[in-house]
Amino acid sequence: YLYNNRYADQVFKITPSNDEEVRTLREILGHMKVDFWQPNSASLICHNATVDVHVKRNDTVFISNLQKEIEKQTGYRSSRKRRSEAQYDYEVYHSLEEIQSWMFMMNTTHPNLVDVFSVGKSYEGRPLYVLQLGKKRRLQKKAVWIDCGVHAREWIGPAFCQWFVKEAINSYQYDSVMTRLLNQLNFYIMPVFNVDGYRFSWITLQDRFWRKTRSKNHKFHCRGVDANRNWKVKWCEGASSHPCDDTYCGPFPESEPEVKAVAKFLRKHKKRVEAYISIHAYAQMLLYPYSYKYATIPNFNCVESAAHNAVTALYSAYGVKYRYGPASTTLVSSGSSIDWAYRNGIPYAFAFELRDTGYFGFLLPESLIKPTCTETMRAVKAIASGVLK
């Protein structure tokens, strides 16, 4: 895959094998204007761990022609007729507007199982919609929160949230596990957490790899905050304090209206919310607290067992292997949503990193939406079933 192409943005895949190479790579990439896919910054490069970086034209490559890959997976190709078809296609990526219309459509067609509400507004004034999924009951039910699309470029996230709702509704009263889950639990599902960033990642080819929110910074021309470094838990101790960085923690905790709104909702319902699940990409991992320190959580055995069951269920679909463990063992970070959820009394807090391990990276082809969502569905059902027990 290594050759020059002067006309396309490209992706490097590099694995430094010793300390010398790590030092060199940190130095070179630290001075270049590159977009880190994994890890999040030059300082986190370590030996025998793959580094994926997106580089502007005139460089060498992993995905040799990025533009083609981007066009393959978006509405940029005119053959797409998705907007005119009454039948919603869950095996393509959808724009923010399509996803929001779909949420209201689900509420209209399945009022016995689905409600739509807004938890607040984004920086640019867009409503932050959440679906409540579950059989309507007078009594208060335990709940599971699932959010997708915290990072704009991770398009497989919102695709999974929609898939989950579709599968849950279609299998209700046919699948005994799903029937029990919807009868006894409420699922709060937020298909697009970072609405402004997600919409921005659809606008032009150049913006496809946007990660952060779209808030403005008054001192710098750079925009946005990493919505998974902005939570009020060990804030900015393991994140960047520079507004131009992809892991910028923000000017203060919960500075981002999206984070503040979700935190407020979860605080209000924390007695009922038993599990918090955040869907990210990519790495094929299932992570749980802590993110900010190497220490064992008090209910480690229960959480570890739930993670093991989830990963085993996922593997049973297509034999795809996920690693699982505390988030700090892969990357120490502070201000993360799983640490915040756990700290606020939610006993099961998980972050999924979906497919793949770097071949397509954020450009997971639409042909892989179905298998990725099918296997992840098994894992999430396993976690929710554990919550019921």
Side-chain angles (χ1 to χ4, degrees):
Y1 301 97
L2 300 175
Y3 71 91
N4 269 310
N5 178 339
R6 288 178 297 129
Y7 308 107
D9 280 20
Q10 306 181 319
V11 178
F12 274 118
K13 192 174 195 69
I14 312 153
T15 308
S17 56
N18 56 46
D19 292 344
E20 180 68 25
E21 289 182 5
V22 168
R23 264 199 309 277
T24 308
L25 206 50
R26 279 181 182 172
E27 207 170 301
I28 294 169
L29 296 178
H31 290 104
M32 282 173 73
K33 186 123 181 65
V34 296
D35 165 24
F36 281 90
W37 285 14
Q38 70 167 5
N40 295 132
S41 70
S43 61
L44 298 168
I45 294 170
C46 52
H47 73 279
N48 289 337
T50 304
V51 179
D52 295 347
V53 283
H54 164 214
V55 181
K56 298 284 179 197
R57 315 174 176 231
N58 298 331
D59 274 310
T60 327
V61 190
F62 185 56
I63 298 176
S64 60
N65 190 335
L66 211 48
Q67 175 134 351
K68 266 200 199 113
E69 290 299 330
I70 293 172
E71 286 171 351
K72 262 189 213 166
Q73 52 157 230
T74 61
Y76 298 121
R77 64 172 190 260
S78 56
S79 63
R80 176 144 295 170
K81 289 200 294 246
R82 58 164 74 130
R83 284 166 191 79
S84 60
E85 283 167 15
Q87 204 60 44
Y88 198 80
D89 190 349
Y90 291 89
E91 294 183 40
V92 298
Y93 294 116
H94 288 279
S95 67
L96 178 67
E97 292 75 11
E98 287 166 4
I99 294 169
Q100 290 181 336
S101 305
W102 166 86
M103 292 174 84
F104 285 95
M105 180 180 77
M106 296 315 273
N107 174 223
T108 307
T109 51
H110 306 280
N112 59 321
L113 290 174
V114 179
D115 265 334
V116 184
F117 60 93
S118 164
V119 290
K121 281 203 159 80
S122 71
Y123 177 81
E124 293 179 342
R126 295 184 177 87
L128 302 169
Y129 291 127
V130 174
L131 284 179
Q132 179 181 310
L133 176 65
K135 185 86 178 117
K136 306 276 168 68
R137 287 272 163 93
R138 286 221 178 108
L139 294 168
Q140 291 253 327
K141 299 200 294 184
K142 281 184 180 179
V144 172
W145 170 278
I146 305 174
D147 61 50
C148 298
V150 167
H151 294 138
R153 62 194 179 186
E154 298 165 11
W155 286 10
I156 188 60
F160 172 73
C161 266
Q162 293 180 91
W163 188 277
F164 181 87
V165 172
K166 178 256 306 183
E167 279 296 304
I169 288 168
N170 290 351
S171 60
Y172 182 66
Q173 291 181 327
Y174 296 103
D175 173 77
S176 60
V177 176
M178 190 50 86
T179 303
R180 195 170 75 248
L181 291 177
L182 293 186
N183 282 343
Q184 296 181 34
L185 292 171
N186 275 333
F187 289 89
Y188 293 116
I189 295 168
M190 190 175 197
V192 189
F193 183 108
N194 177 8
V195 287
D196 299 344
Y198 184 72
R199 189 174 182 279
F200 184 70
S201 75
W202 274 75
I203 296 170
T204 70
L205 293 170
Q206 281 72 34
D207 304 322
R208 173 62 184 86
F209 300 114
W210 187 259
R211 168 184 167 98
K212 302 188 284 181
T213 61
R214 294 292 297 156
S215 55
K216 283 186 176 142
N217 184 287
H218 299 297
K219 290 183 191 159
F220 293 82
H221 66 279
C222 302
R223 291 181 73 152
V225 166
D226 183 340
N228 201 30
R229 302 288 186 280
N230 190 236
W231 297 74
K232 207 170 184 171
V233 55
K234 298 290 170 184
W235 176 78
C236 221
E237 289 176 25
S240 172
S241 54
H242 197 288
C244 295
D245 287 348
D246 259 352
T247 55
Y248 175 46
C249 59
F252 53 88
E254 291 182 21
S255 61
E256 303 314 282
E258 300 84 355
V259 173
K260 194 181 176 72
V262 172
K264 185 182 173 185
F265 177 82
L266 290 173
R267 267 194 290 263
K268 188 177 165 189
H269 297 281
K270 69 179 179 185
K271 286 198 169 69
R272 293 194 296 116
V273 179
E274 293 284 322
Y276 170 90
I277 298 170
S278 194
I279 306 289
H280 293 262
Y282 58 94
Q284 292 175 196
M285 289 183 196
L286 178 53
L287 307 170
Y288 47 83
Y290 296 107
S291 305
Y292 71 89
K293 64 175 178 180
Y294 298 110
T296 305
I297 51 176
N299 65 337
F300 174 81
N301 290 347
C302 297
V303 171
E304 210 253 358
S305 166
H308 173 79
N309 293 341
V311 166
T312 305
L314 187 148
Y315 178 83
S316 73
Y318 304 101
V320 171
K321 290 187 173 136
Y322 268 53
R323 288 185 288 154
Y324 64 95
S328 57
T329 58
T330 62
L331 168 69
V332 175
S333 64
S334 61
S336 76
S337 64
I338 56 170
D339 282 356
W340 182 90
Y342 190 76
R343 170 73 62 85
N344 277 269
I346 299 173
Y348 292 92
F350 293 105
F352 278 86
E353 293 283 354
L354 302 188
R355 293 196 197 185
D356 56 6
T357 54
Y359 185 87
F360 290 109
F362 300 116
L363 295 178
L364 196 72
E366 290 181 327
S367 59
L368 294 178
I369 292 175
K370 184 178 182 177
T372 303
C373 292
T374 301
E375 66 197 9
T376 309
M377 187 79 197
R378 293 193 186 186
V380 173
K381 274 171 79 176
I383 291 170
S385 299
V387 165
L388 270 188
K389 283 176 194 159

